Amino acid sequence: MTVRVPTAEAMVSLGESLGGVLAAGDVVSLTGDLGAGKTTMIRGIVRGTGSNARVRSPSFMRLTEYAGPVPLYHFDLYRVEAADPEWAATLDDVVGDEGIALIEWGERIGDLLPPERIEVTIDFEGEGRVVAVTATGADTGRRADAAV
């Protein structure tokens, strides 16, 4: 599903809708150029899960945890240069079935991402953005479609 997003506020709102359908164990991989709005989307997702956590761009931290009804794990893989199998183990160990993983630059670990996940791709379009949301599993697909 593809959505045109004209403003940062609309990006947060879309993120809130997506966050409202996420469940423990979900993985969301976000892809887009620098400044596309990945962290802005994550602000909305975190809010949509019911968390009041303050989301900041974690450029120099690879993992930030946010408290909420479901633990949220915000990975920023911008500085990761190669797919290291350690990331797959880290996702399993840290998130497991208890939390939600939000992964900026998820394409950098490619095939190490879990087979069932939601992928968010953000592209520039004029002053706004185009956001594509796809899911690789039946259950996550139904929930992602309901959010968009």
Side-chain angles (χ1 to χ4, degrees):
M1 179 129 339
T2 301
V3 179
R4 295 191 191 308
V5 181
T7 64
E9 293 79 18
M11 184 72 78
V12 170
S13 181
L14 179 59
E16 286 177 358
S17 295
L18 182 55
V21 300
L22 294 177
D26 282 346
V27 173
V28 180
S29 174
L30 296 98
T31 301
D33 289 336
L34 279 172
K38 295 178 296 295
T39 302
T40 301
M41 167 74 78
I42 287 176
R43 277 189 193 97
I45 292 171
V46 168
R47 189 180 302 164
T49 66
S51 173
N52 293 320
R54 182 169 180 227
V55 175
R56 294 184 214 142
S57 183
S59 296
F60 295 98
M61 297 177 58
R62 289 193 180 166
L63 175 60
T64 304
E65 182 178 351
Y66 306 118
V70 175
L72 297 142
Y73 301 94
H74 183 180
F75 292 85
D76 185 325
L77 305 183
Y78 178 68
R79 299 191 188 307
V80 171
E81 295 191 21
D84 181 342
E86 179 182 316
W87 281 106
T90 300
L91 281 172
D92 287 343
D93 291 346
V94 172
V95 181
D97 293 332
E98 308 275 322
I100 296 169
L102 307 170
I103 307 170
E104 292 191 48
W105 305 96
E107 73 277 11
R108 296 195 177 204
I109 60 171
D111 293 337
L112 298 177
L113 289 167
E116 186 161 327
R117 63 187 179 273
I118 295 172
E119 294 186 2
V120 176
T121 303
I122 305 170
D123 290 308
F124 289 96
E125 182 178 78
E127 295 295 314
R129 308 291 188 269
V130 174
V131 179
V133 179
T134 58
T136 60
D139 184 46
T140 54
R142 281 188 294 276
R143 289 185 285 121
D145 287 347
V148 179

